[in-house]
Amino acid sequence: MAANAQIQTVKAEFLDPSLYDDTGLAALPRLSRGTVLTALSRAFDLAEGRRPGHSQRVAYIGTFLATELGMELPQVEEVFYGCLLHDVGMAASAPPAQPPAGRGSRTGKDPASVVPAADSGHWAAVIETLKAHCEHGSRIGRKLGLGETVARAIASHHDCWDGSGLSDSPAGEKTPMVARVVALADRVESLIDAEASPLAVRRRGPQLIREMAGSELDPALAEKMATIAERDTFWLGLYDNDLAATLMGLGHGPLMSREDLFDFLGVFADVVDGRNGRESGRSRRVADMARRVALTCDMTERRADLVKVAALLQDIGTLGVPAQFLSKPDILTIDEMSVVQLHPVYARDIVSEIPGLGAAAWWVGCHHERIDGKGYPGMLEGDEVPTEAQIIGMCEAFDALTSDRPYRRAMSREDATEVMRGLAGTRFDPYLLARFESVAGALPA
Ligand SMILES: [Fe+2]
Ligand SMILES: [Fe+2]
Ligand SMILES: [Fe+2]
């Protein structure tokens, strides 16, 4: 009894749905690309194994520098997008091989500009990984409709400022200004992050930036950045606990329509599917189905739209889980399973940063809960598991059963429905399962 009481207390402390409630519960919020990308950039940090907020700090540094350089607003916006997305390609490829300790640039995190020496095989693998994430990232930037300049900035963010480097730029052609600012912001953030403390880097930062001028950094831009780094206002903004809100407040990108938001999020859902060894479009299909089931449960159109948004983002947290765990044809070890079980938590934290999506974040965090209390991460029970999370979980499970896996062939719809029925009262609420079946039964052949 005492142990149960203790579990309940712990549950209430970190799994309180009221923390995620928001006034826009019933309405799909009008969101800008900048707002959505600011939040989702944390998933790219996870994919790269960087300290959370790397991409947001790069965006802060890049837009600060671009504004100080007097760049026009459209170019500042391109810098902003390029900075947030510079490492999005990591979400589409395996994590990079780490360079040997003590080798690499000053930051120890950017081996692209270092000439391989003795262990050239290892360095060749590092450079191949870096090249791949630049190429993947620029393709994703194009799919998001952010324009060629942003795509080029992503493609060349590991290039040197004079155009030499990994991307396919013609030799001797100077990297465009937007791309140079993005690359500089990435290297300066890495340099700052490698220092022991904010006070130490505040003191040494300007000098360190000047030392990188001429080799890694465009000398003129480096000098401008060094003068910015001499100001307290720059550092206060960089270390602001609410940097995400500051970036969202910059107002970059027009507000997206409902269809634009679905398409925008669908690009990221495709990236997650691809990384996890699943066919592209699978998550979009699950999300469409979840929306239809929500409507049969008498939810409003807008609430059903929110269910669709949550379904599109449900597995964004898997970017923090090694891809081989997710597609392992064998049973996971306990350690591997405990890592996989973190993905709803990562996703919940990322989605909760988007204004108006607090409720959706809660549903995302609960999409692997079961009404019998045997789910994860919170082992919620009965009514504690939100209806919306169950709907997402049902559609996901049905789609998984009817899709090929490395270890088994796809089931027929009839067989999959039978399996789902067997989960009534344990994993899923029987009433919701009946509503789900009415939709699944009406799917086109
Ligand atoms: Fe990178
Ligand atoms: Fe980076
Ligand atoms: Fe999941």
Side-chain angles (χ1 to χ4, degrees):
M1 194 65 187
N4 277 349
Q6 197 179 5
I7 288 169
Q8 288 303 321
T9 309
V10 172
K11 232 184 219 181
E13 280 173 5
F14 77 103
L15 281 170
D16 179 356
S18 69
L19 294 174
Y20 299 89
D21 204 359
D22 51 51
T23 49
L25 181 66
L28 197 59
R30 296 289 307 279
L31 296 164
S32 71
R33 290 166 165 178
T35 293
V36 173
L37 286 181
T38 297
L40 297 191
S41 71
R42 282 185 173 264
F44 321 147
D45 299 339
L46 282 176
E48 201 193 0
R50 297 295 299 243
R51 193 163 69 82
H54 165 67
S55 301
Q56 291 179 1
R57 292 189 293 276
V58 172
Y60 172 80
I61 294 167
T63 47
F64 206 122
L65 176 60
T67 306
E68 289 284 320
L69 288 167
M71 291 169 78
E72 300 289 329
L73 188 59
Q75 280 75 53
V76 175
E77 193 162 289
E78 287 169 337
V79 167
F80 179 75
Y81 291 144
C83 287
L84 285 174
L85 285 165
H86 72 283
D87 278 332
V88 68
M90 282 296 179
S93 51
Q98 292 301 309
R103 303 273 311 281
S105 69
R106 181 193 307 285
T107 63
K109 288 175 180 166
D110 176 20
S113 58
V114 180
V115 179
D119 44 1
S120 57
H122 176 87
W123 280 106
V126 170
I127 289 174
E128 266 320 298
T129 306
L130 287 171
K131 207 171 168 186
H133 91 283
C134 292
E135 289 166 2
H136 286 317
S138 66
R139 272 201 296 275
I140 295 169
R142 283 189 192 95
K143 281 186 187 162
L144 289 168
L146 298 174
E148 204 45 41
T149 305
V150 174
R152 173 84 194 269
I154 297 168
S156 59
H157 76 274
H158 283 291
D159 283 1
C160 290
W161 62 277
D162 60 1
S164 60
L166 299 170
S167 72
D168 296 328
S169 316
E173 186 186 287
K174 236 179 160 188
T175 307
M177 182 59 105
V178 168
R180 265 185 284 159
V181 173
V182 171
L184 180 140
D186 184 32
R187 292 183 196 192
V188 167
E189 199 285 332
S190 295
L191 177 142
I192 291 170
D193 202 39
E195 288 293 306
S197 75
L199 283 179
V201 75
R202 163 69 185 89
R203 195 175 64 245
R204 283 161 40 81
Q207 179 206 335
L208 293 175
I209 293 167
R210 287 190 173 102
E211 285 173 10
M212 291 166 77
S215 53
E216 290 189 47
L217 305 182
D218 176 331
L221 294 191
E223 182 51 35
K224 190 70 171 177
M225 190 67 233
T227 61
I228 290 171
E230 285 165 349
R231 290 185 234 157
D232 287 338
T233 47
F234 168 75
W235 295 102
L236 287 170
L238 185 67
Y239 287 113
D240 187 338
N241 281 340
D242 219 352
L243 181 56
T246 303
L247 295 175
M248 290 175 186
L250 295 175
H252 288 304
L255 295 180
M256 288 184 277
S257 68
R258 167 181 176 276
E259 288 73 20
D260 286 348
L261 179 64
F262 291 150
D263 282 344
F264 202 69
L265 298 181
V267 172
F268 291 104
D270 290 344
V271 168
V272 171
D273 284 341
R275 179 180 181 272
N276 297 344
R278 296 175 175 182
E279 69 182 280
S280 184
R282 181 182 175 278
S283 290
R284 292 183 196 244
R285 197 166 61 220
V286 168
D288 283 337
M289 194 176 185
R291 183 177 181 281
R292 284 202 295 277
V293 176
L295 288 173
T296 69
C297 293
D298 297 329
M299 291 188 193
T300 62
E301 290 270 346
R302 287 178 164 182
R303 195 170 178 105
D305 283 351
L306 267 181
V307 171
K308 179 169 175 173
V309 164
L312 285 168
L313 292 171
Q314 63 170 309
D315 275 339
I316 194 89
T318 59
L319 297 184
V321 177
Q324 62 270 28
F325 292 5
L326 298 160
S327 54
K328 187 175 174 183
D330 217 338
I331 293 173
L332 296 177
T333 65
I334 290 175
D335 284 348
E336 289 167 346
M337 182 56 86
S338 58
V339 174
V340 169
Q341 290 186 348
L342 285 174
H343 84 268
V345 180
Y346 292 147
R348 184 191 67 200
D349 291 350
I350 290 165
V351 178
S352 67
E353 281 209 322
I354 305 177
L357 293 191
W362 177 245
W363 306 335
V364 165
C366 297
H367 77 275
H368 284 288
E369 299 288 356
R370 302 166 49 120
I371 61 169
D372 62 4
K374 293 180 180 170
Y376 64 86
M379 293 190 291
L380 303 181
E381 287 180 65
D383 290 348
E384 288 179 330
V385 186
T387 300
E388 295 81 357
Q390 286 197 62
I391 290 172
I392 294 167
M394 273 173 208
C395 297
E396 166 72 24
F398 183 76
D399 200 86
L401 290 170
T402 52
S403 301
D404 281 326
R405 282 282 182 273
Y407 45 91
R408 62 155 173 78
R409 302 288 305 274
M411 283 185 196
S412 68
R413 283 190 196 161
E414 294 69 31
D415 288 350
T417 305
E418 208 47 52
V419 171
M420 299 284 289
R421 278 186 198 135
L423 299 172
T426 53
R427 179 155 183 202
F428 301 120
D429 176 90
Y431 168 78
L432 292 179
L433 208 46
R435 305 313 312 149
F436 165 80
E437 270 193 48
S438 71
V439 172
L443 287 174

